[in-house]
Amino acid sequence: MIKVEKQIGTKTEVLQISSELISEMGQFLRREGFIEILPVIISPITDPLNHSVLDASIDYYGGKYSLTKSMIFHKQLAVRTFPKIFIFSPNVRLETDDKSSTGRHLIEFTQLDLEIRNAKRDDILDLIERMFVDVFKDIDDKFGEIVRKMNPHFSIPSIPFKRVKYLEAYEKYGPDFESILSKSATEPFWLIDIPIKEREFYDRLDGDGKTLVDMDLIYPYGFGEAISGGEREYDYERILYRMGLKGNKPEDFEWYLEEVKKGIPPSAGCGIGVERLTRFVCNLKSVAEARLFAKVPGKMSI
Ligand code: ASN
């Protein structure tokens, strides 16, 4: 006799919840005065990231287009036009196969990327906390019964979220602190003041010269990183200085630097992994269950 494993929460239900999350986040941001802009898929500039991934670029008439790893630079340029913007941004990061079973990585994923002109980190923390409450309430109203079957821990998060300083947590729990804290937490929490070597050159360096005015949001129950973001560098000389510290070559960012020279405003923002949010809400083993046509690192899929 074939043993059929009892499935809690069908793929259809998970995808309906994901669709609702996307819709409600967009509506919330519009109510907050944001404009949605269309995603950039190829560009001569993209996020250098703080870890290496396989190359995803296309030669085109003597130039090179990269597939978008994140729209960070375009966000900084877009807030010249609108004070508050968001994008449901498809990102391609060709991660190596050692990330195949983390449950948190796909080589093609979507982040809700947002940015606010002249904002501080606190403005982003406050916005995201209110957005989480709004979105979780909406899911509870529309899918409460289904979601509680999949996820016995489902609850509306209480705000403000706790703020944990990166270096203090590191000192107390060692290099695995993020996963230790995520596993023991029952509410999302912020990890703030991340050291310079853990991040890219574009997040703003604090006056201490060691940590950044940035943050990650960490989900509880071991689900790990949800969001990353921060205040940004916007001054040309400082950006060159930060690239130098990181070993990023200015000639690789020519198009960006040309725009910075013309002037970009101070801003802050963040990006929220859509599949990771769905995974957390629906209590899924892997982000691969959170979308159709999922691409897990190290494998080919349609
Ligand atoms: N979206 C992130 C941010 O706003 C950057 C990233 O995805 N690496 O900081």
Side-chain angles (χ1 to χ4, degrees), residues 225-240:
E225 187 190 320
I227 288 179
S228 70
E231 290 180 23
R232 317 299 184 187
E233 297 288 1
Y234 55 93
D235 175 79
Y236 181 75
E237 293 300 331
R238 264 184 80 95
I239 290 175
L240 282 183

Side-chain angles (χ1 to χ4, degrees), residues 138-185:
D138 173 73
I139 293 292
D140 201 9
D141 282 352
K142 297 186 175 132
F143 293 92
E145 209 178 308
I146 298 169
V147 94
R148 276 165 214 284
K149 264 191 223 153
M150 292 188 248
N151 182 359
H153 298 303
F154 180 83
S155 66
I156 316 297
S158 2
I159 58 174
F161 299 164
K162 217 169 120 187
R163 297 174 189 196
V164 178
K165 288 193 176 199
Y166 186 104
L167 289 172
E168 287 178 13
Y170 191 102
E171 207 167 291
K172 203 159 169 193
Y173 300 99
D176 245 0
F177 73 89
E178 187 178 311
S179 123
I180 295 170
L181 289 177
S182 172
K183 279 180 191 147
S184 61

Side-chain angles (χ1 to χ4, degrees), residues 187-234:
E187 292 275 351
F189 64 93
W190 296 108
L191 198 59
I192 59 167
D193 299 349
I194 298 170
I196 193 164
K197 72 167 170 42
E198 303 295 336
R199 290 294 243 227
E200 302 84 349
F201 67 80
Y202 49 75
D203 281 349
R204 192 167 79 74
L205 183 58
D206 207 346
D208 69 2
K210 290 184 192 131
T211 58
L212 306 178
V213 191
D214 63 351
M215 71 284 182
D216 277 352
L217 182 75
I218 311 295
Y219 288 131
Y221 302 108
F223 282 90
E225 187 190 320
I227 288 179
S228 70
E231 290 180 23
R232 317 299 184 187
E233 297 288 1
Y234 55 93

Side-chain angles (χ1 to χ4, degrees), residues 1 17 38 49 79 83 86 102-103 107 114 125 127 149 163 177 182 207 237 241 252:
M1 201 170 77
I17 290 169
L38 294 173
L49 303 178
V79 290
F86 73 94
T102 61
I107 61 168
L114 60 92
L125 302 194
L127 175 85
K149 264 191 223 153
R163 297 174 189 196
F177 73 89
S182 172
E237 293 300 331
Y241 168 69
D252 293 342

Side-chain angles (χ1 to χ4, degrees), residues 47 49 69-72 75 91 93 109 111-115 199-200 202-203 228-230 232 269-272:
D47 193 327
L49 303 178
K69 292 179 190 148
S70 97
M71 275 180 63
I72 179 63
K75 290 199 299 177
N91 288 185
R93 299 181 186 176
F109 67 95
Q111 64 171 316
L112 167 54
D113 229 349
L114 60 92
E115 197 76 13
R199 290 294 243 227
E200 302 84 349
Y202 49 75
D203 281 349
S228 70
R232 317 299 184 187
C270 69
I272 305 156

